[in-house]
Amino acid sequence: MSANPIYLGVVGVGGVARPSRPLLADSPRSGTGLFAGDPPGDWATASATPSLNKTGALPAEEMATYLASAPGRAILVDNTSDINLARSYPTFLKKGISVVTPNKKGFSDDLSLWKEIFSSAAQGKALVYHESTVGAGLPVLSTLKDLVATGDKVTRIEGVFSGTLSFLFNTFAPASGSSNAQWSAVVTQAKELGYTEPDPRDDLNGMDVARKLTILARLAGLEVSRPDSFPIESLIPAELASLPSSADGISQFMTRLPEFDAQMANIKDAAEKEGKVVRYVGSIDVASKAVKVGLQYFDKDSAIAGLKGSDNIISFYTKRYGANPVIVQGAGAGGEVTAMGVSTDLLKVMERLH
Amino acid sequence: MSANPIYLGVVGVGGVARPSRPLLADSPRSGTGLFAGDPPGDWATASATPSLNKTGALPAEEMATYLASAPGRAILVDNTSDINLARSYPTFLKKGISVVTPNKKGFSDDLSLWKEIFSSAAQGKALVYHESTVGAGLPVLSTLKDLVATGDKVTRIEGVFSGTLSFLFNTFAPASGSSNAQWSAVVTQAKELGYTEPDPRDDLNGMDVARKLTILARLAGLEVSRPDSFPIESLIPAELASLPSSADGISQFMTRLPEFDAQMANIKDAAEKEGKVVRYVGSIDVASKAVKVGLQYFDKDSAIAGLKGSDNIISFYTKRYGANPVIVQGAGAGGEVTAMGVSTDLLKVMERLH
């Protein structure tokens, strides 16, 4: 809307930040980059420059002071998954620096940090956009916020929030046709395809889903104290819980996982006997304040059962929409689509700060 | 973000406007109403006051001049479905008055009007938000705009865009279970439930869907000249096309519709023989510039086939998202959810004009 430049401080040069550069370059209203030190000519230079990578990163307080000294509105784009940087958002926000980030750590930590982030934003008249903390580029948080802002009552949110767990269960227990694959074989396949974290236990423990649920529940008005303050069903067998997180631990875990195939087959068969399939879902019941993460059975013709590949699906049940929820579905993980979410947020913040 | 008041001119006091009042009252940042004449105490008064209803409405040029004289930014909220008011959007926009509306007539008329609306907005530094012209309160246009704005290439859009036609086909040819209902009986049922327009031919002719497709195609970059410039399969039998649009014509149409039940049953059976179901859909193939509205067969386990009630579903296929589309699903018609779309737009425009 105007020619006032907006200054960006971008932290993090990994999988998300890399594809986001061309996205921003394509957009009609690119901001001016602002870097600590000489502006790097390209991303490769940036990631190899000590003052610009993790080793030599400026303390958050210094970054905030530097950005606040820009002769215009500034935005911190946090492309890391660093809890420490997230803990310093209030410092940026109080100085009037807006925050755009896919980093879910801060928003799913202690409730006190959540409250401090948003009160600091109000104090500094700064904006906080974090769409891609849930569902990457999918319009999940924006839809929830629009429902709440226009006075609808959200009664229930449920869905598949992990691309990895979506793939595992869509493959292990497909809604149409059948599969004879053992659970451990499906996990191995997903690991080989790069669909899991380097340590598959980081997907199977359910914590990533719990963090996303924490964010959604808070936006729906529930005061969730922490992401581990509600029941989370871990898919790591209790007998293997004490294996170390080292490379050797991963290897032992994968080797011993077949011992538990019969357990998972039993769960699948029990669902099948009811004409259903098992899925790993998160749900929030607003009235009873119940937040849950774990296995559940679904009718084969339900949207959750019919999910393909590693897609996410999120259903919002509200007073206004009645029996049939508002549903958002699609790829919810990956560098490209996460970068899309960050870029969308950035464009929206720039439109509002114009 | 600031205390600057924003002035609203609201036109239309029917099904959409009524529920939108409490929505706005609930929202954290209500605007100040601006009315031609004394501000009415309530909506009932407004709709009964000649200077505020259709009979005594001010000419658009006068409304625009009046709104432009407000001591702050102004927004025209057009809750009508009036093509004439829509044709005057450029007059408002050039004067710096933003437009928020669920009225699809203007955006789906001649391409020249579309272009004039957006060039006028640029000229007047005004905003145009019309989310609820497609899918009511569902995040359909915002999702498409975000994909385009962040540099994704939309390759295909398809979906069920009419709540009425969704209900008719979900009931006539359900994806799970079976139905022996004749086509004409389902149309009669929908009419009795109030799911159709007073004249069901206004749903069955496909024009409402064609208008929505026109808007989506234009946002995806296609220069669609008019909503009747592409193939639209009408569900009005050719033999009944010449019946008058009077109450008597409606009655004759409903009486004679059973003569064509066998034709519709044949279509349903042909789909069934391929293990599929028939649905009334709209689709846009961006590369070949093909826009189509009509009947198509779908796999029974597809999201379109599994639709419930009178829900809409819209799938966006893009380069970034690959084989699995981004899907938005839910109620896409009705006063409450349309008012939600208008209110959401209004909040966004107010945030940007702050």
PDB file of all heavy atoms in Angstrom, chain A residues 23 125 146 150 176 301 311 320 324 326-329 340 344 352 354, chain B residues 1 23 143 146 150 176 301 311 320 324 326-329 340 344 352 354:
ATOM      1  N   LEU A  23      10.421 -17.855  -3.020  1.00  0.00           N
ATOM      2  CA  LEU A  23       9.013 -17.511  -2.828  1.00  0.00           C
ATOM      3  C   LEU A  23       8.873 -16.026  -2.593  1.00  0.00           C
ATOM      4  O   LEU A  23       8.037 -15.353  -3.169  1.00  0.00           O
ATOM      5  CB  LEU A  23       8.441 -18.255  -1.616  1.00  0.00           C
ATOM      6  CG  LEU A  23       8.323 -19.763  -1.726  1.00  0.00           C
ATOM      7  CD1 LEU A  23       7.815 -20.324  -0.422  1.00  0.00           C
ATOM      8  CD2 LEU A  23       7.408 -20.135  -2.871  1.00  0.00           C
ATOM      9  N   LYS A 125       2.739  -3.058  19.982  1.00  0.00           N
ATOM     10  CA  LYS A 125       1.933  -2.909  18.759  1.00  0.00           C
ATOM     11  C   LYS A 125       2.581  -3.688  17.597  1.00  0.00           C
ATOM     12  O   LYS A 125       2.682  -3.189  16.472  1.00  0.00           O
ATOM     13  CB  LYS A 125       1.758  -1.439  18.382  1.00  0.00           C
ATOM     14  CG  LYS A 125       0.938  -0.647  19.411  1.00  0.00           C
ATOM     15  CD  LYS A 125       0.594   0.733  18.866  1.00  0.00           C
ATOM     16  CE  LYS A 125       0.056   1.675  19.938  1.00  0.00           C
ATOM     17  NZ  LYS A 125      -1.100   1.186  20.693  1.00  0.00           N
ATOM     18  N   ASP A 146     -10.320 -17.181  12.442  1.00  0.00           N
ATOM     19  CA  ASP A 146     -11.481 -16.521  11.817  1.00  0.00           C
ATOM     20  C   ASP A 146     -12.787 -16.974  12.475  1.00  0.00           C
ATOM     21  O   ASP A 146     -13.690 -16.169  12.692  1.00  0.00           O
ATOM     22  CB  ASP A 146     -11.540 -16.828  10.315  1.00  0.00           C
ATOM     23  CG  ASP A 146     -10.450 -16.106   9.524  1.00  0.00           C
ATOM     24  OD1 ASP A 146      -9.820 -15.183  10.078  1.00  0.00           O
ATOM     25  OD2 ASP A 146     -10.234 -16.470   8.354  1.00  0.00           O
ATOM     26  N   THR A 150     -15.060 -14.185  14.634  1.00  0.00           N
ATOM     27  CA  THR A 150     -16.401 -13.799  14.193  1.00  0.00           C
ATOM     28  C   THR A 150     -17.474 -14.348  15.136  1.00  0.00           C
ATOM     29  O   THR A 150     -18.656 -14.352  14.797  1.00  0.00           O
ATOM     30  CB  THR A 150     -16.676 -14.267  12.753  1.00  0.00           C
ATOM     31  OG1 THR A 150     -16.510 -15.688  12.683  1.00  0.00           O
ATOM     32  CG2 THR A 150     -15.731 -13.607  11.770  1.00  0.00           C
ATOM     33  N   SER A 176      -9.496 -48.661   2.110  1.00  0.00           N
ATOM     34  CA  SER A 176     -10.008 -49.498   1.014  1.00  0.00           C
ATOM     35  C   SER A 176      -8.887 -50.446   0.588  1.00  0.00           C
ATOM     36  O   SER A 176      -7.704 -50.107   0.647  1.00  0.00           O
ATOM     37  CB  SER A 176     -10.488 -48.632  -0.152  1.00  0.00           C
ATOM     38  OG  SER A 176      -9.474 -47.775  -0.596  1.00  0.00           O
ATOM     39  N   ASP A 301     -15.627 -45.043   5.866  1.00  0.00           N
ATOM     40  CA  ASP A 301     -15.993 -43.985   4.904  1.00  0.00           C
ATOM     41  C   ASP A 301     -15.828 -42.586   5.487  1.00  0.00           C
ATOM     42  O   ASP A 301     -16.270 -41.614   4.887  1.00  0.00           O
ATOM     43  CB  ASP A 301     -17.431 -44.190   4.393  1.00  0.00           C
ATOM     44  CG  ASP A 301     -18.467 -44.001   5.490  1.00  0.00           C
ATOM     45  OD1 ASP A 301     -18.065 -43.902   6.667  1.00  0.00           O
ATOM     46  OD2 ASP A 301     -19.659 -43.936   5.166  1.00  0.00           O
ATOM     47  N   ASP A 311      -0.796 -37.064   4.109  1.00  0.00           N
ATOM     48  CA  ASP A 311      -1.596 -35.852   4.306  1.00  0.00           C
ATOM     49  C   ASP A 311      -2.055 -35.674   5.744  1.00  0.00           C
ATOM     50  O   ASP A 311      -2.256 -36.642   6.468  1.00  0.00           O
ATOM     51  CB  ASP A 311      -2.846 -35.889   3.404  1.00  0.00           C
ATOM     52  CG  ASP A 311      -2.526 -35.424   1.987  1.00  0.00           C
ATOM     53  OD1 ASP A 311      -1.337 -35.140   1.692  1.00  0.00           O
ATOM     54  OD2 ASP A 311      -3.460 -35.343   1.174  1.00  0.00           O
ATOM     55  N   ARG A 320     -21.833 -22.873  14.716  1.00  0.00           N
ATOM     56  CA  ARG A 320     -22.383 -22.319  13.480  1.00  0.00           C
ATOM     57  C   ARG A 320     -22.456 -23.375  12.379  1.00  0.00           C
ATOM     58  O   ARG A 320     -23.407 -23.401  11.607  1.00  0.00           O
ATOM     59  CB  ARG A 320     -21.488 -21.164  13.047  1.00  0.00           C
ATOM     60  CG  ARG A 320     -22.060 -20.281  11.971  1.00  0.00           C
ATOM     61  CD  ARG A 320     -21.045 -19.204  11.595  1.00  0.00           C
ATOM     62  NE  ARG A 320     -20.890 -18.187  12.613  1.00  0.00           N
ATOM     63  CZ  ARG A 320     -19.760 -17.491  12.819  1.00  0.00           C
ATOM     64  NH1 ARG A 320     -18.688 -17.746  12.072  1.00  0.00           N
ATOM     65  NH2 ARG A 320     -19.687 -16.573  13.752  1.00  0.00           N
ATOM     66  N   ASN A 324     -21.781 -31.110  10.472  1.00  0.00           N
ATOM     67  CA  ASN A 324     -20.671 -31.331   9.540  1.00  0.00           C
ATOM     68  C   ASN A 324     -19.577 -30.292   9.756  1.00  0.00           C
ATOM     69  O   ASN A 324     -19.827 -29.104   9.638  1.00  0.00           O
ATOM     70  CB  ASN A 324     -21.164 -31.244   8.096  1.00  0.00           C
ATOM     71  CG  ASN A 324     -22.092 -32.379   7.737  1.00  0.00           C
ATOM     72  OD1 ASN A 324     -22.168 -33.383   8.449  1.00  0.00           O
ATOM     73  ND2 ASN A 324     -22.821 -32.224   6.654  1.00  0.00           N
ATOM     74  N   VAL A 326     -16.001 -28.011   9.425  1.00  0.00           N
ATOM     75  CA  VAL A 326     -15.133 -27.401   8.414  1.00  0.00           C
ATOM     76  C   VAL A 326     -13.861 -28.238   8.381  1.00  0.00           C
ATOM     77  O   VAL A 326     -13.268 -28.498   9.432  1.00  0.00           O
ATOM     78  CB  VAL A 326     -14.765 -25.947   8.777  1.00  0.00           C
ATOM     79  CG1 VAL A 326     -13.769 -25.374   7.771  1.00  0.00           C
ATOM     80  CG2 VAL A 326     -16.005 -25.086   8.869  1.00  0.00           C
ATOM     81  N   ILE A 327     -13.481 -28.681   7.187  1.00  0.00           N
ATOM     82  CA  ILE A 327     -12.325 -29.575   7.067  1.00  0.00           C
ATOM     83  C   ILE A 327     -11.250 -28.946   6.190  1.00  0.00           C
ATOM     84  O   ILE A 327     -11.554 -28.400   5.128  1.00  0.00           O
ATOM     85  CB  ILE A 327     -12.755 -30.930   6.458  1.00  0.00           C
ATOM     86  CG1 ILE A 327     -13.774 -31.625   7.372  1.00  0.00           C
ATOM     87  CG2 ILE A 327     -11.548 -31.832   6.221  1.00  0.00           C
ATOM     88  CD1 ILE A 327     -14.319 -32.928   6.800  1.00  0.00           C
ATOM     89  N   VAL A 328     -10.011 -29.037   6.654  1.00  0.00           N
ATOM     90  CA  VAL A 328      -8.863 -28.608   5.850  1.00  0.00           C
ATOM     91  C   VAL A 328      -7.937 -29.804   5.725  1.00  0.00           C
ATOM     92  O   VAL A 328      -7.666 -30.487   6.717  1.00  0.00           O
ATOM     93  CB  VAL A 328      -8.118 -27.430   6.524  1.00  0.00           C
ATOM     94  CG1 VAL A 328      -6.874 -27.062   5.740  1.00  0.00           C
ATOM     95  CG2 VAL A 328      -9.044 -26.228   6.671  1.00  0.00           C
ATOM     96  N   GLN A 329      -7.494 -30.084   4.521  1.00  0.00           N
ATOM     97  CA  GLN A 329      -6.730 -31.318   4.260  1.00  0.00           C
ATOM     98  C   GLN A 329      -5.625 -31.063   3.243  1.00  0.00           C
ATOM     99  O   GLN A 329      -5.786 -30.257   2.327  1.00  0.00           O
ATOM    100  CB  GLN A 329      -7.719 -32.358   3.721  1.00  0.00           C
ATOM    101  CG  GLN A 329      -7.134 -33.733   3.469  1.00  0.00           C
ATOM    102  CD  GLN A 329      -8.194 -34.717   2.977  1.00  0.00           C
ATOM    103  OE1 GLN A 329      -9.368 -34.595   3.332  1.00  0.00           O
ATOM    104  NE2 GLN A 329      -7.796 -35.659   2.147  1.00  0.00           N
ATOM    105  N   MET A 340       5.905 -21.969   2.328  1.00  0.00           N
ATOM    106  CA  MET A 340       4.719 -21.276   1.851  1.00  0.00           C
ATOM    107  C   MET A 340       3.973 -20.621   3.017  1.00  0.00           C
ATOM    108  O   MET A 340       3.543 -19.468   2.935  1.00  0.00           O
ATOM    109  CB  MET A 340       3.765 -22.236   1.144  1.00  0.00           C
ATOM    110  CG  MET A 340       2.463 -21.543   0.753  1.00  0.00           C
ATOM    111  SD  MET A 340       1.097 -22.671   0.434  1.00  0.00           S
ATOM    112  CE  MET A 340      -0.287 -21.513   0.554  1.00  0.00           C
ATOM    113  N   THR A 344       3.331 -16.682   3.353  1.00  0.00           N
ATOM    114  CA  THR A 344       1.972 -16.151   3.452  1.00  0.00           C
ATOM    115  C   THR A 344       1.847 -15.235   4.668  1.00  0.00           C
ATOM    116  O   THR A 344       1.329 -14.120   4.580  1.00  0.00           O
ATOM    117  CB  THR A 344       0.970 -17.318   3.582  1.00  0.00           C
ATOM    118  OG1 THR A 344       1.108 -18.158   2.442  1.00  0.00           O
ATOM    119  CG2 THR A 344      -0.451 -16.809   3.631  1.00  0.00           C
ATOM    120  N   ARG A 352      -0.265  -5.479   6.755  1.00  0.00           N
ATOM    121  CA  ARG A 352      -0.809  -4.778   7.918  1.00  0.00           C
ATOM    122  C   ARG A 352       0.131  -3.698   8.445  1.00  0.00           C
ATOM    123  O   ARG A 352      -0.310  -2.757   9.089  1.00  0.00           O
ATOM    124  CB  ARG A 352      -1.142  -5.793   9.027  1.00  0.00           C
ATOM    125  CG  ARG A 352      -2.322  -6.679   8.651  1.00  0.00           C
ATOM    126  CD  ARG A 352      -2.701  -7.614   9.770  1.00  0.00           C
ATOM    127  NE  ARG A 352      -3.078  -6.881  10.973  1.00  0.00           N
ATOM    128  CZ  ARG A 352      -3.419  -7.476  12.105  1.00  0.00           C
ATOM    129  NH1 ARG A 352      -3.411  -8.793  12.182  1.00  0.00           N
ATOM    130  NH2 ARG A 352      -3.755  -6.763  13.158  1.00  0.00           N
ATOM    131  N   HIS A 354       2.106  -1.935   6.441  1.00  0.00           N
ATOM    132  CA  HIS A 354       2.418  -1.047   5.304  1.00  0.00           C
ATOM    133  C   HIS A 354       2.695   0.385   5.762  1.00  0.00           C
ATOM    134  O   HIS A 354       1.996   0.947   6.562  1.00  0.00           O
ATOM    135  CB  HIS A 354       1.255  -1.013   4.311  1.00  0.00           C
ATOM    136  CG  HIS A 354      -0.003  -0.384   4.840  1.00  0.00           C
ATOM    137  ND1 HIS A 354      -0.213   0.970   4.860  1.00  0.00           N
ATOM    138  CD2 HIS A 354      -1.102  -0.933   5.414  1.00  0.00           C
ATOM    139  CE1 HIS A 354      -1.406   1.212   5.390  1.00  0.00           C
ATOM    140  NE2 HIS A 354      -1.961   0.087   5.744  1.00  0.00           N
TER     141      HIS A 354
ATOM    142  N   MET B   1      -5.398  -1.733  15.769  1.00  0.00           N
ATOM    143  CA  MET B   1      -4.059  -1.222  16.029  1.00  0.00           C
ATOM    144  C   MET B   1      -4.109   0.253  16.438  1.00  0.00           C
ATOM    145  O   MET B   1      -3.186   0.787  16.969  1.00  0.00           O
ATOM    146  CB  MET B   1      -3.175  -1.343  14.775  1.00  0.00           C
ATOM    147  CG  MET B   1      -2.981  -2.765  14.291  1.00  0.00           C
ATOM    148  SD  MET B   1      -2.188  -3.825  15.519  1.00  0.00           S
ATOM    149  CE  MET B   1      -0.492  -3.189  15.399  1.00  0.00           C
ATOM    150  N   LEU B  23     -22.598 -10.900  14.882  1.00  0.00           N
ATOM    151  CA  LEU B  23     -21.221 -11.323  14.679  1.00  0.00           C
ATOM    152  C   LEU B  23     -20.280 -10.145  14.867  1.00  0.00           C
ATOM    153  O   LEU B  23     -19.273 -10.219  15.532  1.00  0.00           O
ATOM    154  CB  LEU B  23     -21.031 -11.876  13.258  1.00  0.00           C
ATOM    155  CG  LEU B  23     -21.746 -13.166  12.943  1.00  0.00           C
ATOM    156  CD1 LEU B  23     -21.493 -13.533  11.492  1.00  0.00           C
ATOM    157  CD2 LEU B  23     -21.274 -14.277  13.848  1.00  0.00           C
ATOM    158  N   THR B 143      -7.378 -19.155   0.427  1.00  0.00           N
ATOM    159  CA  THR B 143      -6.397 -20.211   0.183  1.00  0.00           C
ATOM    160  C   THR B 143      -5.825 -20.100  -1.229  1.00  0.00           C
ATOM    161  O   THR B 143      -4.605 -20.158  -1.430  1.00  0.00           O
ATOM    162  CB  THR B 143      -7.053 -21.594   0.393  1.00  0.00           C
ATOM    163  OG1 THR B 143      -7.491 -21.684   1.750  1.00  0.00           O
ATOM    164  CG2 THR B 143      -6.083 -22.731   0.106  1.00  0.00           C
ATOM    165  N   ASP B 146      -3.499 -17.114  -1.391  1.00  0.00           N
ATOM    166  CA  ASP B 146      -2.225 -17.370  -0.706  1.00  0.00           C
ATOM    167  C   ASP B 146      -1.310 -18.245  -1.564  1.00  0.00           C
ATOM    168  O   ASP B 146      -0.103 -18.015  -1.632  1.00  0.00           O
ATOM    169  CB  ASP B 146      -2.460 -18.058   0.643  1.00  0.00           C
ATOM    170  CG  ASP B 146      -3.060 -17.116   1.689  1.00  0.00           C
ATOM    171  OD1 ASP B 146      -3.063 -15.889   1.459  1.00  0.00           O
ATOM    172  OD2 ASP B 146      -3.532 -17.619   2.724  1.00  0.00           O
ATOM    173  N   THR B 150       2.259 -16.634  -3.061  1.00  0.00           N
ATOM    174  CA  THR B 150       3.558 -17.153  -2.640  1.00  0.00           C
ATOM    175  C   THR B 150       4.248 -17.916  -3.773  1.00  0.00           C
ATOM    176  O   THR B 150       5.205 -18.635  -3.552  1.00  0.00           O
ATOM    177  CB  THR B 150       3.436 -18.071  -1.403  1.00  0.00           C
ATOM    178  OG1 THR B 150       2.518 -19.136  -1.712  1.00  0.00           O
ATOM    179  CG2 THR B 150       2.909 -17.302  -0.213  1.00  0.00           C
ATOM    180  N   SER B 176     -21.790 -44.720   0.103  1.00  0.00           N
ATOM    181  CA  SER B 176     -21.893 -45.964   0.872  1.00  0.00           C
ATOM    182  C   SER B 176     -23.365 -46.239   1.119  1.00  0.00           C
ATOM    183  O   SER B 176     -24.173 -45.329   1.262  1.00  0.00           O
ATOM    184  CB  SER B 176     -21.101 -45.859   2.179  1.00  0.00           C
ATOM    185  OG  SER B 176     -21.535 -44.751   2.922  1.00  0.00           O
ATOM    186  N   ASP B 301     -14.381 -44.068  -3.030  1.00  0.00           N
ATOM    187  CA  ASP B 301     -13.582 -43.688  -1.859  1.00  0.00           C
ATOM    188  C   ASP B 301     -12.944 -42.310  -2.027  1.00  0.00           C
ATOM    189  O   ASP B 301     -12.098 -41.920  -1.226  1.00  0.00           O
ATOM    190  CB  ASP B 301     -12.522 -44.753  -1.543  1.00  0.00           C
ATOM    191  CG  ASP B 301     -11.458 -44.846  -2.625  1.00  0.00           C
ATOM    192  OD1 ASP B 301     -11.649 -44.246  -3.703  1.00  0.00           O
ATOM    193  OD2 ASP B 301     -10.437 -45.515  -2.380  1.00  0.00           O
ATOM    194  N   ASP B 311     -22.770 -30.248   1.995  1.00  0.00           N
ATOM    195  CA  ASP B 311     -21.438 -29.650   2.074  1.00  0.00           C
ATOM    196  C   ASP B 311     -20.844 -29.354   0.699  1.00  0.00           C
ATOM    197  O   ASP B 311     -21.139 -30.042  -0.277  1.00  0.00           O
ATOM    198  CB  ASP B 311     -20.486 -30.589   2.828  1.00  0.00           C
ATOM    199  CG  ASP B 311     -20.625 -30.436   4.338  1.00  0.00           C
ATOM    200  OD1 ASP B 311     -21.495 -29.664   4.776  1.00  0.00           O
ATOM    201  OD2 ASP B 311     -19.858 -31.083   5.058  1.00  0.00           O
ATOM    202  N   ARG B 320       3.357 -27.187  -6.032  1.00  0.00           N
ATOM    203  CA  ARG B 320       4.017 -27.376  -4.745  1.00  0.00           C
ATOM    204  C   ARG B 320       3.433 -28.564  -3.973  1.00  0.00           C
ATOM    205  O   ARG B 320       4.160 -29.304  -3.322  1.00  0.00           O
ATOM    206  CB  ARG B 320       3.856 -26.089  -3.928  1.00  0.00           C
ATOM    207  CG  ARG B 320       4.730 -25.982  -2.727  1.00  0.00           C
ATOM    208  CD  ARG B 320       4.412 -24.675  -1.988  1.00  0.00           C
ATOM    209  NE  ARG B 320       4.877 -23.497  -2.677  1.00  0.00           N
ATOM    210  CZ  ARG B 320       4.291 -22.294  -2.581  1.00  0.00           C
ATOM    211  NH1 ARG B 320       3.209 -22.138  -1.848  1.00  0.00           N
ATOM    212  NH2 ARG B 320       4.786 -21.262  -3.223  1.00  0.00           N
ATOM    213  N   ASN B 324      -1.404 -34.931  -4.185  1.00  0.00           N
ATOM    214  CA  ASN B 324      -2.530 -34.768  -3.258  1.00  0.00           C
ATOM    215  C   ASN B 324      -2.884 -33.296  -3.109  1.00  0.00           C
ATOM    216  O   ASN B 324      -2.051 -32.495  -2.704  1.00  0.00           O
ATOM    217  CB  ASN B 324      -2.177 -35.339  -1.888  1.00  0.00           C
ATOM    218  CG  ASN B 324      -2.037 -36.851  -1.927  1.00  0.00           C
ATOM    219  OD1 ASN B 324      -2.444 -37.497  -2.894  1.00  0.00           O
ATOM    220  ND2 ASN B 324      -1.444 -37.411  -0.901  1.00  0.00           N
ATOM    221  N   VAL B 326      -4.720 -29.649  -1.874  1.00  0.00           N
ATOM    222  CA  VAL B 326      -5.202 -28.976  -0.671  1.00  0.00           C
ATOM    223  C   VAL B 326      -6.725 -28.975  -0.767  1.00  0.00           C
ATOM    224  O   VAL B 326      -7.281 -28.576  -1.785  1.00  0.00           O
ATOM    225  CB  VAL B 326      -4.709 -27.509  -0.600  1.00  0.00           C
ATOM    226  CG1 VAL B 326      -5.319 -26.799   0.615  1.00  0.00           C
ATOM    227  CG2 VAL B 326      -3.194 -27.450  -0.563  1.00  0.00           C
ATOM    228  N   ILE B 327      -7.379 -29.453   0.281  1.00  0.00           N
ATOM    229  CA  ILE B 327      -8.837 -29.590   0.252  1.00  0.00           C
ATOM    230  C   ILE B 327      -9.474 -28.748   1.353  1.00  0.00           C
ATOM    231  O   ILE B 327      -9.006 -28.760   2.488  1.00  0.00           O
ATOM    232  CB  ILE B 327      -9.242 -31.070   0.439  1.00  0.00           C
ATOM    233  CG1 ILE B 327      -8.681 -31.926  -0.712  1.00  0.00           C
ATOM    234  CG2 ILE B 327     -10.762 -31.222   0.525  1.00  0.00           C
ATOM    235  CD1 ILE B 327      -8.939 -33.412  -0.558  1.00  0.00           C
ATOM    236  N   VAL B 328     -10.525 -28.036   0.990  1.00  0.00           N
ATOM    237  CA  VAL B 328     -11.328 -27.296   1.961  1.00  0.00           C
ATOM    238  C   VAL B 328     -12.759 -27.797   1.831  1.00  0.00           C
ATOM    239  O   VAL B 328     -13.277 -27.922   0.717  1.00  0.00           O
ATOM    240  CB  VAL B 328     -11.274 -25.776   1.691  1.00  0.00           C
ATOM    241  CG1 VAL B 328     -12.187 -25.030   2.655  1.00  0.00           C
ATOM    242  CG2 VAL B 328      -9.850 -25.257   1.786  1.00  0.00           C
ATOM    243  N   GLN B 329     -13.383 -28.120   2.950  1.00  0.00           N
ATOM    244  CA  GLN B 329     -14.694 -28.772   2.926  1.00  0.00           C
ATOM    245  C   GLN B 329     -15.573 -28.258   4.056  1.00  0.00           C
ATOM    246  O   GLN B 329     -15.090 -27.934   5.126  1.00  0.00           O
ATOM    247  CB  GLN B 329     -14.463 -30.280   3.076  1.00  0.00           C
ATOM    248  CG  GLN B 329     -15.702 -31.134   3.004  1.00  0.00           C
ATOM    249  CD  GLN B 329     -15.362 -32.628   3.128  1.00  0.00           C
ATOM    250  OE1 GLN B 329     -14.267 -33.053   2.755  1.00  0.00           O
ATOM    251  NE2 GLN B 329     -16.271 -33.399   3.669  1.00  0.00           N
ATOM    252  N   MET B 340     -20.528 -15.049   8.301  1.00  0.00           N
ATOM    253  CA  MET B 340     -19.195 -15.257   8.854  1.00  0.00           C
ATOM    254  C   MET B 340     -18.125 -14.819   7.858  1.00  0.00           C
ATOM    255  O   MET B 340     -17.165 -14.145   8.210  1.00  0.00           O
ATOM    256  CB  MET B 340     -18.973 -16.732   9.194  1.00  0.00           C
ATOM    257  CG  MET B 340     -17.532 -16.979   9.649  1.00  0.00           C
ATOM    258  SD  MET B 340     -17.014 -18.700   9.561  1.00  0.00           S
ATOM    259  CE  MET B 340     -15.218 -18.474   9.637  1.00  0.00           C
ATOM    260  N   THR B 344     -15.477 -11.911   8.532  1.00  0.00           N
ATOM    261  CA  THR B 344     -14.042 -12.181   8.479  1.00  0.00           C
ATOM    262  C   THR B 344     -13.353 -11.185   7.554  1.00  0.00           C
ATOM    263  O   THR B 344     -12.322 -10.602   7.892  1.00  0.00           O
ATOM    264  CB  THR B 344     -13.799 -13.620   7.966  1.00  0.00           C
ATOM    265  OG1 THR B 344     -14.457 -14.520   8.847  1.00  0.00           O
ATOM    266  CG2 THR B 344     -12.325 -13.951   7.942  1.00  0.00           C
ATOM    267  N   ARG B 352      -6.246  -3.913   8.042  1.00  0.00           N
ATOM    268  CA  ARG B 352      -5.313  -3.323   7.068  1.00  0.00           C
ATOM    269  C   ARG B 352      -5.486  -1.812   6.946  1.00  0.00           C
ATOM    270  O   ARG B 352      -4.551  -1.120   6.553  1.00  0.00           O
ATOM    271  CB  ARG B 352      -5.483  -4.008   5.712  1.00  0.00           C
ATOM    272  CG  ARG B 352      -4.967  -5.441   5.732  1.00  0.00           C
ATOM    273  CD  ARG B 352      -5.049  -6.094   4.377  1.00  0.00           C
ATOM    274  NE  ARG B 352      -4.261  -5.369   3.390  1.00  0.00           N
ATOM    275  CZ  ARG B 352      -4.196  -5.717   2.106  1.00  0.00           C
ATOM    276  NH1 ARG B 352      -4.868  -6.770   1.674  1.00  0.00           N
ATOM    277  NH2 ARG B 352      -3.461  -5.034   1.270  1.00  0.00           N
ATOM    278  N   HIS B 354      -6.375   0.132   9.502  1.00  0.00           N
ATOM    279  CA  HIS B 354      -6.281   0.697  10.859  1.00  0.00           C
ATOM    280  C   HIS B 354      -5.696   2.118  10.827  1.00  0.00           C
ATOM    281  O   HIS B 354      -4.766   2.396  10.130  1.00  0.00           O
ATOM    282  CB  HIS B 354      -5.396  -0.181  11.740  1.00  0.00           C
ATOM    283  CG  HIS B 354      -3.957  -0.227  11.309  1.00  0.00           C
ATOM    284  ND1 HIS B 354      -3.033   0.732  11.643  1.00  0.00           N
ATOM    285  CD2 HIS B 354      -3.300  -1.118  10.531  1.00  0.00           C
ATOM    286  CE1 HIS B 354      -1.857   0.414  11.116  1.00  0.00           C
ATOM    287  NE2 HIS B 354      -1.990  -0.676  10.432  1.00  0.00           N
TER     288      HIS B 354
END
